[in-house]
Amino acid sequence: METPIILEPSKGVPDQLSEVLQSQPATEDEKNAGRILRLHRDFLNGGIEQAISNLAAIDEVASTYCAAYQAIGLDEAFLIWKKAISLAAASQISGEQWDALDDEYDRLIYGNGANDAIEWTIVRYIQCNPKLFEQALIKSNNH
């Protein structure tokens, strides 16, 4: 028997749930959570510039991913990504500016402690809206 996924905000989004949200979303809320996780985890692996570049490499519209932050109430993160995407589109961003944006996002993530605030918020959003994530939770439990 499969062990069901346990959602604990301090532990972030379980990898199998993240994978389902990114690759097999059934609802708009699942899509938004998956988009956030894609950008966020790409940031953790290489910064904002790399995350935006990764989306461009697969012909995804970065602003759609950015808007997902706002859709679940992560307004500060939304503004950081919006600024970065706008500057990148205008080719008006230096390495120092990328670093400053990375630092700003990093402070947002870890400014209140050791837990990842972005993933914490996604887990809490799922916990508060379980019906909107029912399919992803079922799929990830069977994954």
Side-chain angles (χ1 to χ4, degrees):
M1 183 173 179
E2 297 275 333
T3 303
I5 288 183
I6 297 174
L7 294 176
E8 174 59 45
S10 65
K11 294 182 180 180
V13 179
D15 288 340
Q16 65 267 36
L17 178 56
S18 176
E19 186 177 316
V20 169
L21 290 169
Q22 291 180 58
S23 64
Q24 303 171 36
T27 67
E28 197 60 34
D29 288 277
E30 288 180 6
K31 286 178 189 175
N32 285 330
R35 288 172 178 147
I36 292 167
L37 289 166
R38 171 67 192 259
L39 272 182
H40 181 65
R41 290 183 175 191
D42 278 0
F43 165 81
L44 294 173
N45 289 317
I48 291 176
E49 181 180 19
Q50 183 64 50
I52 292 171
S53 177
N54 290 351
L55 290 178
I58 58 171
D59 295 323
E60 290 286 344
V61 179
S63 60
T64 301
Y65 283 71
C66 172
Y69 280 92
Q70 192 173 39
I72 73 160
L74 287 163
D75 294 334
E76 290 179 70
F78 165 76
L79 293 173
I80 294 167
W81 285 99
K82 182 179 174 184
K83 180 179 179 181
I85 291 164
S86 176
L87 290 170
S91 299
Q92 297 178 349
I93 190 163
S94 68
E96 292 166 350
Q97 289 171 306
W98 283 121
D99 291 344
L101 288 165
D102 285 348
D103 289 346
E104 188 176 354
Y105 189 70
D106 199 55
R107 280 191 303 277
L108 180 64
I109 298 169
Y110 299 113
N112 294 328
N115 295 329
D116 182 320
I118 302 299
E119 293 213 16
W120 187 95
T121 300
I122 292 171
V123 171
R124 289 296 300 138
Y125 189 80
I126 293 169
Q127 289 175 324
C128 291
N129 302 284
K131 288 287 186 196
L132 300 174
F133 292 88
E134 193 170 50
Q135 291 303 308
L137 291 167
I138 290 168
K139 289 176 189 174
S140 62
N141 277 324
N142 296 325
H143 206 255

